Amino acid sequence: MDLFNIKKIKKLEDKVFSLERELEREKNSVVTLKEVLRSNSESRKYLEEENKKLIEWIKSILEEFGTMDVREQSTVHIPVYKRSDIMLFRSANEEIPRYKEKIVVIPEIVIHERNY
């Protein structure tokens, strides 16, 4: 064999090695994507179940309290209470750290039934 053929063989061997590495990477990528798909499928099933529970809960509230027909589509405003607190703490020989806390309270629905 001459030098030209040896260089050509070496170049082709390098290309084969490179393609084998790329194939291995693609196989790993496929495995990873299958795991992600399986995980997303499980998450989707969980979200669907939670969504069904929420819909059933909302339906039960509407059945209990009823609905009202309106002439036009309008937005509904839910009353909330907003409060901001600034808390001060003192420690010996330390600066006074401050933090601000924001609180939003949505009034609860109270069902009070009396049976006689």
Side-chain angles (χ1 to χ4, degrees):
M1 274 194 209
D2 60 10
L3 186 61
F4 178 73
N5 285 336
I6 292 173
K7 286 184 179 181
K8 192 173 182 180
I9 289 172
K10 177 67 175 158
K11 186 177 179 183
L12 289 172
E13 286 175 345
D14 289 344
K15 187 170 184 174
V16 167
F17 179 73
S18 172
L19 289 172
E20 286 174 345
R21 285 181 40 202
E22 189 173 325
L23 179 64
E24 189 65 32
R25 266 190 301 225
E26 289 298 320
K27 285 180 181 178
N28 289 338
S29 176
V30 167
V31 168
T32 303
L33 289 174
K34 283 181 180 178
E35 290 174 3
V36 167
L37 181 63
R38 183 178 48 78
S39 174
N40 284 346
S41 176
E42 290 172 3
S43 297
R44 185 175 52 86
K45 287 178 185 175
Y46 174 75
L47 287 175
E48 285 176 355
E49 288 299 318
E50 291 298 312
N51 219 9
K52 286 178 185 176
K53 289 178 186 176
L54 180 61
I55 289 170
E56 290 301 318
W57 180 71
I58 291 171
K59 284 181 179 179
S60 69
I61 290 175
L62 292 176
E63 286 174 6
E64 183 72 30
F65 292 101
T67 58
M68 181 177 75
D69 291 333
V70 293
R71 291 185 181 192
E72 60 187 46
Q73 184 177 0
S74 60
T75 58
V76 175
H77 299 281
I78 298 173
V80 295
Y81 305 110
K82 292 184 180 181
R83 191 174 82 208
S84 294
D85 293 339
I86 298 177
M87 305 298 283
L88 300 176
F89 293 100
R90 291 189 182 195
S91 302
N93 299 328
E94 290 184 16
E95 293 183 20
I96 302 173
R98 300 176 74 160
Y99 72 89
K100 188 173 182 179
E101 188 175 73
K102 197 183 271 188
I103 301 170
V104 176
V105 178
I106 299 174
E108 68 272 359
I109 297 173
V110 178
I111 301 172
H112 185 86
E113 292 183 356
R114 283 191 183 167
N115 294 326
Y116 293 99

